[in-house]
Amino acid sequence: MKLNYKLYPYQSSNPNGKSIGTIIILHGLFGSSKNWVTVAKFLSEFATVYAIDQRNHGDSPHSDEHSIQIMANDLETFLSEEKIQNPILLGHSMGGLVAMYFDLTRPGVVSRLIIQDIAPRSYPFVYEKEIESMSFPLDGFTSRTEIDTEMAKYVKDSFIRQFLQMSLERREDGSYHWKLNVDGINHARRVFDDVFSLDQISKTPTLFLLGGSSEYISESDFTMMDRFFQNNQKVKIPFGGHYIHFTHQKEYLEQLRNWLEKEFR
């Protein structure tokens, strides 16, 4: 599958700066490259950055097939088509699972991993309310405010609704539609099951950048991180949740800078 992406060319403000290569950003479930503009622009100080729309998200094609393994295949095709070698992968949530699986099953391809708030294990599909909030007919709605009011019947958290609505698009005729393949994702509820039933280990330098208050990470996950990724560093952002690149952006970018400068000094 040919994936849509946004390219951020390397442009350092330091006249003596030197690119560290290529960084690929892999968004999470219900996200897109659109969610990563600020982070991508920041990272373009260090490298050429590609923010990808994974299948069934953003402007990439829709498919009935949706799994971590298939998205890793999509990434492999993307790297081949764009002639990208030894990239750094930054993956959030679902994108982090794709990045970790890709590295474990294709040793030596990736130069570094940055994994945001996810561990190499199975996760339950607990997004029924989000799916419901995007499944009612949009015919007759004339504004985002009206749609948001209806979505609030299913998802109370306004932050999550605003995040989902980044994939809501208005057509030229004034009607609305979801760029996400909501139905396809809904029928892929085992997408996070049994991905890491693997014997492989990775020596790839890996940063686990975690929300200190995230519901996605438990203390037992650290054992799994160490089992699969034997050259890793773990950094917690205090009081941060799953979306630390939004909610704790200053601290998040500071940690990215510190780690990249340490890795490539």
Side-chain angles (χ1 to χ4, degrees):
M1 177 179 289
K2 190 171 182 64
L3 301 177
N4 180 69
Y5 65 90
K6 290 181 173 62
L7 173 64
Y8 299 82
Y10 170 67
Q11 45 186 3
S12 175
S13 57
N14 180 358
N16 297 318
K18 182 180 179 182
S19 172
I20 62 174
T22 302
I23 298 174
I24 310 291
I25 298 176
L26 301 169
H27 63 76
L29 186 68
F30 306 130
S32 73
S33 59
K34 188 177 179 180
N35 311 139
W36 290 87
V37 174
T38 299
V39 175
K41 287 181 177 177
F42 171 82
L43 290 174
S44 69
E45 282 268 343
F46 297 88
T48 297
V49 180
Y50 292 82
I52 289 175
D53 289 335
Q54 300 195 81
R55 64 170 53 212
N56 294 318
H57 294 75
D59 291 314
S60 284
H62 290 186
S63 170
D64 291 336
E65 295 183 296
H66 191 84
S67 71
I68 299 302
Q69 294 86 342
I70 288 173
M71 284 183 277
N73 293 343
D74 291 341
L75 176 59
E76 184 173 44
T77 299
F78 175 81
L79 295 179
S80 176
E81 289 178 345
E82 298 300 319
K83 298 179 172 57
I84 297 170
Q85 295 183 335
N86 305 120
I88 301 164
L89 300 183
L90 189 167
H92 172 229
S93 199
M94 178 185 76
L97 297 176
V98 173
M100 289 187 285
Y101 180 82
F102 184 92
D103 182 56
L104 288 167
T105 56
R106 297 158 176 85
V109 174
V110 175
S111 87
R112 306 287 195 287
L113 287 173
I114 302 168
I115 306 301
Q116 180 182 328
D117 208 59
I118 205 75
R121 63 168 170 90
S122 296
Y123 282 83
F125 191 95
V126 290
Y127 307 100
E128 288 81 4
K129 295 298 183 183
E130 286 85 348
I131 292 290
E132 289 178 14
S133 77
M134 296 184 286
S135 295
F136 58 83
L138 296 177
D139 301 342
F141 287 93
T142 59
S143 71
R144 287 178 173 267
T145 301
E146 291 178 359
I147 295 172
D148 182 66
T149 299
E150 185 68 19
M151 291 179 70
K153 296 176 181 178
Y154 307 95
V155 176
K156 304 303 181 185
D157 190 329
S158 61
F159 175 85
I160 298 299
R161 295 200 310 274
Q162 290 170 15
F163 167 67
L164 296 175
Q165 288 167 27
M166 292 185 78
S167 294
L168 181 65
E169 186 173 70
R170 190 169 193 171
R171 299 186 179 98
E172 290 185 6
D173 64 4
S175 64
Y176 289 89
H177 74 107
W178 292 104
K179 298 176 79 172
L180 288 163
N181 181 3
V182 178
D183 188 59
I185 294 170
N186 186 36
H187 286 93
R189 293 184 172 228
R190 297 199 62 192
V191 61
F192 306 130
D193 288 355
D194 302 323
V195 179
F196 295 96
S197 301
L198 303 167
D199 294 327
Q200 291 94 327
I201 60 170
S202 170
K203 300 289 188 181
T204 302
T206 301
L207 171 65
F208 286 100
L209 191 47
L210 311 171
S213 301
S214 173
E215 297 178 353
Y216 285 73
I217 301 296
S218 64
E219 290 298 322
S220 61
D221 289 333
F222 297 156
T223 300
M224 299 300 291
M225 295 172 188
D226 292 340
R227 173 189 166 191
F228 285 108
F229 299 93
Q230 299 188 346
N231 183 12
N232 80 74
Q233 178 183 349
K234 305 173 193 72
V235 174
K236 286 186 178 181
I237 293 181
F239 310 109
H242 195 50
Y243 298 91
I244 44 179
H245 59 300
F246 283 130
T247 60
H248 293 67
Q249 191 170 91
K250 181 180 178 181
E251 299 97 318
Y252 179 86
L253 297 180
E254 182 180 352
Q255 293 297 341
L256 284 182
R257 179 186 295 279
N258 291 343
W259 190 75
L260 289 170
E261 288 180 347
K262 183 190 73 173
E263 285 294 308
F264 291 95
R265 65 187 173 199

